[in-house]
Amino acid sequence: MTHDFQTDSRSMLARLRTAMAEEAAGQARLDKITHLIADSMRTEVCSVYLFRDSETLELCATEGLKAEAVHQTRMRLGEGLVGRVARTGRLINTPDAPSEPGFRYMAETGEEIYSSFAGVPIQRLGEKLGVLVVQSKIARRFSEDEITLLEVVAMVLAEMAELGVFVGEGAALSALHTKPVVFRGTTGQEGTAEGHVWLHEPRVVITNPIAEDPHRERERLQEATEQLRDAVDRMVSGIAEDDKEQLEVLEAYRMFANSKGWMRRMEEDVARGLSAEAAVEKEQSTARARMESITDPYLRGRLHDLDDLSNRLLRILSGQGKETGADMPADPILVARNIGPAELLDYGRSLRGIVLEEGSVGSHAAIVARSLAIPLIIHADRVTTEALNGDHIVLDGDNGVAHLRPEDTVVTAFRDKMAMQAKAQERYGSIRDLPAVTMCGERVHLMMNAGLMADLPSLAGSGAEGVGLFRTELQFLIRNQMPRRSELSALYARVMDSAAGRKVVFRTLDIGSDKVLSYMKPTDEPNPALGWRAIRVGLDKPGVMRMQLQALIRAANGRALSVMFPFVAQYDEYRAARAEMDKAMERERILGHPLPASLEIGAMLETPSLAYAPRRFFEEVDFLSIGGNDLKQFFFAADRENERVRRRYDTLNVSFLTFLQGIVDRCADTGTTLSFCGEDAGRPVEALCLAAIGLRTLSMRPASIGPVKSLLMRTDLTALRGVIDKAREDGLQSVRGPVMDFLRADG
Ligand code: PEP
Ligand code: MG
């Protein structure tokens, strides 16, 4: 950046500030600004195009084009060069505009005489507002400095537009935030909640995009960054040393907070004349624009970290936002574009519910929300734009619906539903320590699924008999680097300690498909769910599996140990994995470590192929657990992650139940212990049917134990079995109808 350029930039921004400060109507102001830019940049034309609606741009002010064209010339998004800048959010800089693809000649503006064209988007934090254009007769490419200046000005214009400087504050705007709005998203975690909106990132309003004194501004930026770094350091040191999950996440934050590149770019913008706040937000806008085009979940996650840090920095600089602003309501429902697992752990159980614009069912935040049993709705489009701090909101997490500023009738219906649920909870509490014995005297074992330390308190609270599925990959997923063996064994030991003698079935690493480790080389597979995942990765790259098996043996430290391998599709895979376990045991024995008092090695039955494995397999395996989520998706060939098809086939479909029945029969024949640990085990009606066809160990979300147990205790499984058999004989597609009739008749 040349000194001259800095001076040009500053003097232009100073003129801009004066123009903004003057009393003038919106249009007069815009006219003045285009004149000023053209004059400062020595170009014949400067024009501002703003969005009229989401698809149409309108020429709103110009210096150099025909004045009659203002508010007349319009273009669709993507049309002509201006439309292209608006659509892509990327600059166009060309010495020969008419030869650019998509150039549209607009006779009414008289622009044919202008050869050079530079257009930059006017956008604020990913929200597109318009396009700023300069044009000149001589054919030349605008210099990098000139383009940077244009971008800085576009940034200032975006802030001004946000403040309503051009259009004036419309009455329509305030009406916008009083009406009830319903958001239909996707369920991230079931449950219902009522409360008041707490915006995770209240919009920081920047009133001073242009600075008077760049030196002072630079100091402000540096002081704020120092404060930010201290805050991150404090967060890191506030975490228990053994809480590796949170530490790993926060280390990534610390790295960004100390990033030299980030700081340098902001300092350069301050040197050009922007205020510290505007410089931070400019960086943030760039990151958000990048985020739109990136699909890699890891990179998106990191850009999100950066976005989050920028928000923190903006709040420090402006004194606005959660640190200084409004008090958090007593019943907060968190509303955010997205949130990282660390921030969510920060809020902890204080939240009643969470609504996100982005996120995914498998995201780390969703994992944490599930661990904390907080209702979560994701993909609630535009909720951060609509919701204001303190707004009344109710969440129907079961259906993925949020009602913002709900009508009274909605609230009443909702409260009735919650009251019924609360009553049910009371009932579940009273049966918590009773065994699940059905009316016909059958005993069903109810276990819980877990994956984080945060899950373990539910073990006692839910009445689960143990952990039927401990998903070990979550520990790997929420970190930025491969965990060490010692860390893993310490963690597994703590899990066993918390279980206090109850059984814990550890499932070895199940990665691939939707579970991608940021620190492993990504594999580009056409069908990841059918690809290189789980045990396939473990056997091909045995290093991690060996390390994990060793960590498990050491964690058991002489106690009983249960391990199962995910996604075993044929007998050989089980044998190979078991051989690894034998080797690990032998190694530990030689090293003099205590060996587990007992060792059970099982397999997850998640592909139909394993149901037809040779009898020897069923005899050899210590236990089998049906991973119903995967098994069902392969049975029906319906992607469990695809909203379009994932609910298309009923678990109570007769074909599927018959298939499961076959597995039960084979296990009975060989005396193989069998359980079921997919999500369906936690759905009361499905759980009843699974128990009725002979699955007597079910592992589910902790919150499901109460409802499932309560229903089991009131049901005659033998009679239910009769209903299922009859439906099958009658040739029905699903047993759901007759089963529901039976349950209703039973009260
Ligand atoms: C399953 O597939 O049912 C299962 C329990 O494993 P996951 O959901 O972790 O794939
Ligand atoms: Mg699975």
Side-chain angles (χ1 to χ4, degrees):
M1 183 170 44
T2 60
H3 179 71
D4 279 356
F5 170 59
Q6 274 190 15
T7 319
D8 282 357
S9 163
R10 273 187 222 155
S11 71
M12 172 159 155
L13 288 184
R15 289 173 68 189
L16 204 54
R17 188 180 51 235
T18 316
M20 298 284 187
E22 279 166 17
E23 268 306 311
Q27 185 63 46
R29 230 185 220 139
L30 264 187
D31 292 344
K32 203 164 203 166
I33 290 168
T34 49
H35 169 76
L36 195 152
I37 298 170
D39 184 51
S40 300
M41 290 186 66
R42 295 170 204 101
T43 61
E44 288 98 341
V45 176
C46 172
S47 316
V48 171
Y49 298 82
L50 295 174
F51 275 99
R52 255 194 88 77
D53 55 56
S54 62
E55 289 294 316
T56 321
L57 287 145
E58 180 176 301
L59 175 67
C60 286
T62 184
E63 169 77 18
L65 298 184
K66 288 186 184 155
E68 309 89 83
V70 172
H71 297 304
Q72 299 304 319
T73 292
R74 294 204 185 141
M75 61 213 56
R76 312 271 305 157
L77 188 62
E79 185 188 5
L81 299 190
V82 172
R84 200 166 103 202
V85 174
R87 184 171 54 77
T88 59
R90 275 191 232 114
L91 99 108
I92 294 179
N93 180 9
T94 172
D96 184 9
S99 73
E100 280 289 310
F103 174 80
R104 199 195 97 182
Y105 168 56
M106 291 178 291
E108 72 274 23
T109 65
E111 76 168 355
E112 78 272 28
I113 46 175
Y114 301 105
S115 178
S116 322
F117 174 103
V120 298
I122 303 172
Q123 55 193 356
R124 185 181 182 277
L125 298 182
E127 191 182 343
K128 292 173 174 158
L129 302 169
V131 179
L132 172 64
V133 173
V134 286
Q135 291 171 282
S136 68
K137 283 182 194 155
I138 42 163
R140 68 176 185 103
R141 195 176 289 278
F142 290 92
S143 74
E144 226 171 87
D145 279 350
E146 285 172 311
I147 292 294
T148 306
L149 185 55
L150 264 189
E151 284 171 344
V152 168
V153 173
M155 153 87 207
V156 173
L157 289 180
E159 285 311 321
M160 295 296 165
E162 168 74 9
L163 290 174
V165 171
F166 307 133
V167 282
E169 252 113 352
L173 211 64
S174 48
L176 216 63
H177 291 287
T178 53
K179 292 205 192 88
V181 191
V182 181
F183 298 91
R184 292 180 201 285
T186 306
T187 300
Q189 158 71 22
E190 284 94 350
T192 41
E194 177 179 3
H196 291 88
V197 168
W198 179 247
L199 289 170
H200 176 53
E201 302 163 347
R203 292 183 81 143
V204 173
V205 184
I206 297 180
T207 47
N208 60 336
I210 307 166
E212 280 176 42
D213 175 359
H215 296 290
R216 174 72 201 110
E217 240 14 60
R218 192 189 158 114
E219 276 169 23
R220 286 185 64 229
L221 180 65
Q222 284 169 344
E223 283 161 15
T225 321
E226 276 310 309
Q227 272 189 46
L228 175 74
R229 288 179 190 147
D230 286 351
V232 174
D233 285 346
R234 270 199 309 278
M235 279 164 70
V236 174
S237 61
I239 292 169
E241 238 172 63
D242 56 352
D243 198 343
K244 296 281 191 289
E245 289 157 13
Q246 282 202 53
L247 274 178
E248 296 279 347
V249 172
L250 288 177
E251 280 304 336
Y253 274 55
R254 175 135 71 179
M255 201 184 74
F256 275 119
N258 288 292
S259 156
K260 293 216 169 61
W262 186 47
M263 196 63 204
R264 179 177 43 77
R265 288 192 298 275
M266 291 191 292
E267 283 179 350
E268 280 175 6
D269 282 330
V270 164
R272 284 175 194 126
L274 284 189
S275 69
E277 286 90 336
V280 175
E281 202 177 271
K282 184 159 165 280
E283 268 299 296
Q284 194 178 11
S285 283
T286 313
R288 284 211 187 159
R290 239 182 300 159
M291 207 152 13
E292 267 191 16
S293 60
I294 286 179
T295 49
D296 178 83
Y298 178 69
L299 285 181
R300 281 184 72 87
R302 299 293 68 75
L303 279 173
H304 183 257
D305 284 350
L306 189 60
D307 194 60
D308 178 51
L309 276 180
S310 306
N311 278 328
R312 283 175 192 252
L313 195 52
L314 274 180
R315 278 190 227 109
I316 295 173
L317 278 166
S318 64
Q320 299 172 27
K322 57 183 172 198
E323 273 84 3
T324 56
D327 286 335
M328 177 138 95
D331 49 6
I333 305 264
L334 188 83
V335 171
R337 231 160 34 80
N338 208 342
I339 187 166
E343 299 162 291
L344 203 48
L345 285 165
D346 258 359
Y347 285 109
R349 290 180 205 269
S350 64
L351 299 177
R352 291 268 176 98
I354 307 165
V355 189
L356 302 180
E357 265 178 30
E358 301 184 355
S360 70
V361 178
S363 73
H364 302 172
I367 291 167
V368 172
R370 252 171 259 148
S371 284
L372 300 172
I374 300 171
L376 164 69
I377 293 169
I378 56 174
H379 302 160
D381 208 21
R382 291 183 58 79
V383 68
T384 58
T385 320
E386 295 284 353
L388 297 178
N389 257 339
D391 275 349
H392 187 196
I393 186 168
V394 295
L395 306 193
D396 176 357
D398 303 342
N399 295 304
V401 177
H403 300 265
L404 181 69
R405 301 182 287 265
E407 312 259 13
D408 290 348
T409 46
V410 173
V411 178
T412 313
F414 199 78
R415 287 192 183 148
D416 287 348
K417 183 174 168 180
M418 298 237 297
M420 268 167 62
Q421 285 176 341
K423 251 209 200 112
Q425 281 305 330
E426 256 173 53
R427 196 168 63 234
Y428 306 148
S430 67
I431 57 170
R432 190 184 64 193
D433 301 317
L434 299 178
V437 179
T438 64
M439 297 265 284
C440 51
E442 295 285 345
R443 173 85 158 88
V444 182
H445 298 278
L446 304 183
M447 316 273 282
M448 65 172 246
N449 296 343
L452 289 173
M453 262 323 279
D455 292 319
L456 269 299
S458 307
L459 190 46
S462 67
E465 292 172 49
V467 178
L469 165 67
F470 190 90
R471 293 178 160 107
T472 60
E473 60 276 5
L474 301 191
Q475 304 301 327
F476 288 73
L477 279 167
I478 59 175
R479 280 159 209 254
N480 296 312
Q481 61 192 50
M482 184 72 80
R484 285 192 296 273
R485 186 184 54 207
S486 56
E487 290 169 346
L488 286 183
S489 89
L491 179 101
Y492 300 153
R494 277 199 295 144
V495 171
M496 289 186 220
D497 293 346
S498 312
R502 295 191 194 87
K503 183 173 191 156
V504 180
V505 182
F506 289 94
R507 171 175 81 184
T508 61
L509 196 56
D510 180 7
I511 49 159
S513 189
D514 59 318
K515 300 159 185 160
V516 185
L517 296 189
S518 55
Y519 41 86
M520 258 181 71
K521 210 163 96 207
T523 48
D524 192 12
E525 297 184 292
N527 279 309
L530 306 175
W532 198 55
R533 52 175 291 202
I535 187 99
R536 301 172 182 175
V537 181
L539 292 175
D540 291 355
K541 295 238 177 271
V544 179
M545 183 150 106
R546 285 178 191 151
M547 187 258 292
Q548 202 184 13
L549 294 177
Q550 248 180 353
L552 284 165
I553 299 169
R554 290 191 191 174
N557 194 22
R559 290 176 281 194
L561 179 62
S562 280
V563 178
M564 67 180 171
F565 296 107
F567 214 64
V568 174
Q570 59 181 11
Y571 180 27
D572 267 6
E573 286 169 341
Y574 174 73
R575 280 219 306 230
R578 184 160 194 142
E580 286 296 342
M581 188 56 153
D582 291 342
K583 271 192 256 170
M585 289 282 277
E586 181 57 14
R587 229 178 353 249
E588 292 303 285
R589 191 187 61 75
I590 294 169
L591 290 171
H593 291 293
L595 297 182
S598 62
L599 177 65
E600 287 183 313
I601 306 174
M604 285 188 75
L605 197 158
E606 303 187 271
T607 64
S609 63
L610 202 65
Y612 303 98
R615 184 182 172 90
R616 274 194 8 242
F617 166 73
F618 284 83
E619 286 166 352
E620 194 177 314
V621 73
D622 293 332
F623 64 91
L624 278 175
S625 190
I626 295 175
N629 306 334
D630 275 313
L631 187 62
K632 190 177 159 196
Q633 83 165 333
F634 297 123
F635 187 79
F636 289 110
D639 188 345
R640 62 191 265 192
E641 296 284 320
N642 181 339
E643 285 301 326
R644 277 208 160 143
V645 298
R646 75 188 190 100
R647 286 185 230 267
R648 195 177 178 97
Y649 304 99
D650 193 350
T651 303
L652 301 188
N653 176 299
V654 170
S655 314
F656 191 51
L657 287 184
T658 305
F659 177 60
L660 294 179
Q661 179 73 63
I663 301 169
V664 171
D665 293 346
R666 286 204 73 183
C667 287
D669 194 26
T670 46
T672 313
T673 306
L674 178 66
S675 62
F676 185 104
C677 65
E679 294 304 314
D680 284 318
R683 302 195 172 103
V685 176
E686 280 81 343
L688 276 190
C689 294
L690 292 174
I693 63 165
L695 282 153
R696 294 300 156 81
T697 302
L698 304 174
S699 193
M700 62 198 76
R701 293 188 299 124
S704 295
I705 304 246
V708 168
K709 189 193 282 186
S710 162
L711 194 55
L712 275 170
M713 290 171 82
R714 287 179 287 145
T715 304
D716 180 338
L717 281 189
T718 317
L720 180 63
R721 175 64 190 249
V723 172
I724 294 175
D725 287 343
K726 169 140 195 329
R728 188 185 283 136
E729 278 156 28
D730 290 350
L732 297 192
Q733 178 166 285
S734 165
V735 306
R736 189 171 297 274
V739 165
M740 292 309 287
D741 289 344
F742 167 78
L743 293 176
R744 266 185 226 113
D746 239 25

